[in-house]
Amino acid sequence: MNSNLQQITSDESLDQACAWVARLRSDTVSATDKREFATWLASSGTHRQAFDEITELWGDLGALTHMPIDHFFPESVPTAHTNDKKQKIQRGARDDHWSLSRWLFSGGLATCGAFLAAWVGLQWLDSGVTSQQIYITQLGEVRTVSLADGSEVKLNSNSELRVSYSRKERRTLLVHGEAFFDVARQTARPFTVAAGNANIRVLGTEFNVELNPENTRVSVTEGKVSVSETESASGLNPESVTLAKNQKVSVSERGLSKIQRTSEQEATDWTRGILVFEKTPLKEALQELNRYLPVPVAATPEVEDRLVSGTFAVSDPDNTLKAITAALDLQQDHSNTNLTILSPRHN
């Protein structure tokens, strides 16, 4: 592939693309204008990429389905199959000329005004100002969110996710709770998640993020994910690791843990409505259970390391707590109406 296509599109090319949109939108546009536009598009890979970026942004904003571009110019539609897109770009200038001509004379010209609006939005995004979407689930609610780029996020009970997209990156912030991400691949725009002490960066993959009071756990079920610490001080480089499929790591104020093995079932059991504990420390099990309890529960230091095993339904957290209490021979203290305490049973 032409190396120019692998570079970030220059502002000059984007300006030219915008100017062509305005020129073609004019009521006085001529056949000569159309031919010159086709020639401009076919003359350089950066010109084609400028056009692709505008249409890709339009698709990311969720409006591409309302335009004929996906029919007349399918290579402009954002897709996870980047190899298909590369092959279409490599068809060459002759194919570019004819495909554009068909697009121009098949109604695509009437949509140039929409592209101009997308360009205005592009300049706004580049100025550093981005819109933010906030998604919140209530206690006991699990919700699947479809993002503008085709990614999907499943939010666990009592969670909050904030999403801010720009032309250069896709940023999300998990404020609290747990989320499973299925990220649409876009090599030009990395997808990042900030959660507690962890920063996560991917291009396109599937992974789970669990934000707890003391740490953030990241589990990968498909592809690769880069996980790093947040910057603790200026000039210090945070540590980072790369997780592959069926690997997990936790990040706390003490840094990164060792990489451990996991499985898709373990990482995503909550998405199937169950909690599975297999010799899980009580303290860790309660952190998960607290996502569903109206009154959180904690264990005293002398019992927090006791191991919990079993499969429980997330729809009935109160009975799950009773079962754990009985299995570990504990007692519940409800004297504090805002916190239940588990301690050894006094015989």
Side-chain angles (χ1 to χ4, degrees):
M1 181 185 297
N2 190 321
S3 61
N4 288 337
L5 295 180
Q6 299 174 343
Q7 299 175 358
I8 297 175
T9 308
S10 69
D11 290 341
E12 181 180 0
S13 294
L14 292 171
D15 288 338
Q16 290 174 359
C18 183
W20 271 115
V21 168
R23 183 174 171 183
L24 293 171
R25 187 70 180 89
S26 170
D27 293 335
T28 60
V29 63
S30 66
T32 300
D33 291 328
K34 298 174 186 177
R35 287 194 297 270
E36 289 179 359
F37 177 42
T39 301
W40 172 84
L41 187 72
S43 66
S44 169
T46 56
H47 296 169
R48 176 59 172 270
Q49 185 160 339
F51 178 82
D52 283 348
E53 286 191 12
I54 292 175
T55 56
E56 182 174 40
L57 174 65
W58 195 256
D60 288 345
L61 294 176
L64 195 60
T65 55
H66 303 295
M67 302 165 65
I69 294 303
D70 56 342
H71 176 72
F72 297 110
F73 222 92
E75 56 266 50
S76 300
V77 180
T79 175
H81 304 292
T82 54
N83 288 335
D84 292 344
K85 185 174 181 179
K86 290 178 182 179
Q87 291 173 3
K88 290 172 182 175
I89 291 175
Q90 288 176 316
R91 288 177 181 172
R94 181 178 179 85
D95 185 66
D96 288 344
H97 177 89
W98 286 107
S99 62
L100 178 64
S101 296
R102 288 195 298 272
W103 174 72
L104 286 172
F105 290 102
S106 301
L109 186 59
T111 70
C112 283
F115 283 130
L116 185 59
W119 171 254
V120 173
L122 183 63
Q123 296 297 337
W124 174 66
L125 291 173
D126 268 350
S127 69
V129 180
T130 59
S131 61
Q132 184 181 79
Q133 291 77 44
I134 300 176
Y135 304 97
I136 297 175
T137 54
Q138 304 302 318
L139 194 68
E141 176 190 9
V142 175
R143 177 185 178 190
T144 299
V145 176
S146 296
L147 303 184
D149 65 331
S151 300
E152 283 194 351
V153 182
K154 179 166 283 190
L155 288 177
N156 202 350
S157 166
N158 193 24
S159 299
E160 180 179 340
L161 180 72
R162 300 183 182 183
V163 179
S164 303
Y165 279 10
S166 70
R167 186 170 71 91
K168 296 181 179 179
E169 63 179 338
R170 299 170 287 170
R171 291 184 298 168
T172 65
L173 169 66
L174 184 61
V175 179
H176 58 83
E178 184 172 17
F180 179 77
F181 295 84
D182 184 354
V183 178
R185 183 173 183 83
Q186 288 188 3
T187 56
R189 287 202 305 168
F191 188 101
T192 63
V193 182
N197 293 295
N199 285 325
I200 302 137
R201 181 183 175 93
V202 303
L203 295 177
T205 187
E206 298 176 9
F207 58 99
N208 192 75
V209 181
E210 180 182 348
L211 181 55
N212 299 305
E214 296 182 0
N215 61 38
T216 301
R217 283 196 286 269
V218 182
S219 304
V220 178
T221 61
E222 191 66 43
K224 293 184 177 180
V225 170
S226 174
V227 182
S228 63
E229 304 172 279
T230 56
E231 292 188 25
S232 57
S234 178
L236 295 179
N237 292 323
E239 293 186 21
S240 64
V241 295
T242 299
L243 299 181
K245 181 178 180 178
N246 292 336
Q247 290 185 331
K248 65 179 180 179
V249 73
S250 64
V251 189
S252 67
E253 292 181 351
R254 298 183 297 275
L256 289 161
S257 71
K258 292 182 179 180
I259 296 176
Q260 297 179 312
R261 297 292 299 172
T262 186
S263 66
E264 182 178 354
Q265 291 73 24
E266 178 186 353
T268 62
D269 54 13
W270 65 270
T271 67
R272 300 186 299 277
I274 58 174
L275 292 177
V276 180
F277 301 127
E278 185 176 350
K279 295 182 178 179
T280 304
L282 177 60
K283 182 179 180 179
E284 184 177 319
L286 294 180
Q287 288 177 346
E288 294 194 41
L289 187 59
N290 279 338
R291 302 190 194 285
Y292 311 95
L293 288 167
V295 178
V297 59
T300 57
E302 59 265 42
V303 300
E304 64 181 11
D305 291 328
R306 293 188 183 183
L307 302 181
V308 179
S309 295
T311 300
F312 308 93
V314 299
S315 60
D316 196 1
D318 290 324
N319 277 336
T320 297
L321 179 58
K322 290 179 182 178
I324 292 175
T325 301
L328 297 183
D329 196 26
L330 304 175
Q331 64 180 15
Q332 299 184 28
D333 180 357
H334 299 282
S335 57
N336 183 343
T337 57
N338 296 316
L339 181 66
T340 300
I341 302 294
L342 297 186
S343 61
R345 183 183 299 278
H346 300 298
N347 297 323

